[in-house]
Amino acid sequence: TLGFAGCHIRELALYRESDSRFTDIAPKVYGIHEDPEREAYILVLEQLRNMILMDSADDVSGWGRPEIEAALVGIGRFHAIWYGREEELLAQPWIVAPPTLAGMIEKAELWEALGVHAMNEFPQWFGPSDLSLHRELVRNIPRWWKPIESMPRTLIHNDFNPRNVALRPTAEGPKLCAYDWELATLHLPQRDVAEFLCFVLGADATEEEVAHYVGVHRRAL
């Protein structure tokens, strides 16, 4: 459920994907070396240069509407690759332990501890009221996770935020470039959208603005 199991083989498998909906948004891969006996798992990727908004997690002010839309269109097209193919995706040897209801419940103590840690380490962002809400969500995992497993899921990036996302300048305009795919897993495509928007939208974002961006992603998907 934490997403780290199998990450060394999962990212290599992703970079073997030939579908243009992935290759158009990922760094160019020059070589893949996989040697389980030596525990050697190596990707040789392009060095990303002259990108737009690369490493912008500490300053997201450059993410305006055109940039956000470009990212959502790119990830929406990627989500479409495995959309409606959940059983086929689960049969892939590299998917390894996608999150489940049982796994989420099993780790309830960990989720609780993470909430306490957040309040102690980042009190300016996560206070007692946030911890109370967090604990309520942990207690109610069975109620809100079951619908997730009943809705259409697909392969998602699962760490889709400005730490791992930039825009590549092209003649047609900026295009998404997403990297660090080791946490990719089976989940709702909206999971990537929600994480990304939490980073790039300010506290003054309106309901209409959020609905617009959700629609951009949905149409791309």
Side-chain angles (χ1 to χ4, degrees):
T1 300
L2 294 179
F4 297 112
C7 63
H8 59 300
I9 62 172
R10 186 163 52 249
E11 188 164 29
L12 270 60
L14 260 291
Y15 276 100
R16 292 188 176 101
E17 175 64 68
S18 61
D19 192 302
S20 63
R21 292 170 291 182
F22 174 74
T23 58
D24 283 353
I25 68 167
K28 183 176 177 58
V29 57
Y30 294 107
I32 298 175
H33 177 75
E34 186 170 2
D35 186 348
E37 290 188 2
R38 296 188 60 193
E39 298 184 346
Y41 302 88
I42 301 170
L43 283 168
V44 183
L45 304 175
E46 71 169 302
Q47 183 176 4
L48 298 177
R49 298 176 180 271
N50 303 316
M51 307 297 284
I52 302 168
L53 293 169
M54 190 169 181
D55 298 325
S56 61
D58 291 334
D59 180 8
V60 298
S61 60
W63 286 96
R65 177 167 286 203
E67 293 80 13
I68 295 173
E69 289 180 352
L72 293 176
V73 167
I75 199 65
R77 294 184 70 246
F78 166 76
H79 288 154
I81 297 174
W82 287 95
Y83 196 72
R85 301 166 60 196
E86 184 170 324
E87 293 304 316
E88 186 180 352
L89 179 59
L90 286 171
Q92 303 302 310
W94 47 265
I95 192 66
V96 186
T100 63
L101 173 59
M104 291 292 294
I105 294 173
E106 180 185 13
K107 294 173 178 62
E109 288 187 25
L110 174 61
W111 311 140
E112 161 73 14
L114 287 172
V116 173
H117 174 78
M119 187 178 71
N120 291 336
E121 294 295 321
F122 310 106
Q124 69 273 32
W125 297 328
F126 196 88
S129 62
D130 301 297
L131 180 61
S132 177
L133 175 59
H134 175 79
R135 284 171 165 162
E136 182 180 352
L137 290 170
V138 172
R139 285 194 301 269
N140 288 291
I141 286 173
R143 178 178 59 81
W144 57 262
W145 188 269
K146 285 181 180 178
I148 289 177
E149 296 192 352
S150 69
M151 291 187 282
R153 295 179 292 176
T154 188
L155 186 66
I156 70 166
H157 184 284
N158 201 33
D159 200 13
F160 193 68
N161 61 69
R163 289 192 300 266
N164 304 315
V165 168
L167 296 176
R168 189 188 299 275
T170 74
E172 295 78 31
K175 305 292 184 182
L176 173 66
C177 181
Y179 36 93
D180 289 353
W181 290 87
E182 69 273 7
L183 296 181
T185 193
L186 171 71
H187 210 306
L188 299 179
Q190 293 92 338
R191 166 70 174 77
D192 281 346
V193 178
E195 178 175 359
F196 182 69
L197 293 181
C198 281
F199 272 81
V200 299
L201 295 184
D204 59 346
T206 65
E207 183 176 347
E208 291 76 17
E209 190 177 7
V210 173
H212 167 76
Y213 289 129
V214 170
V216 167
H217 170 266
R218 184 178 62 249
R219 288 188 293 272
L221 172 62

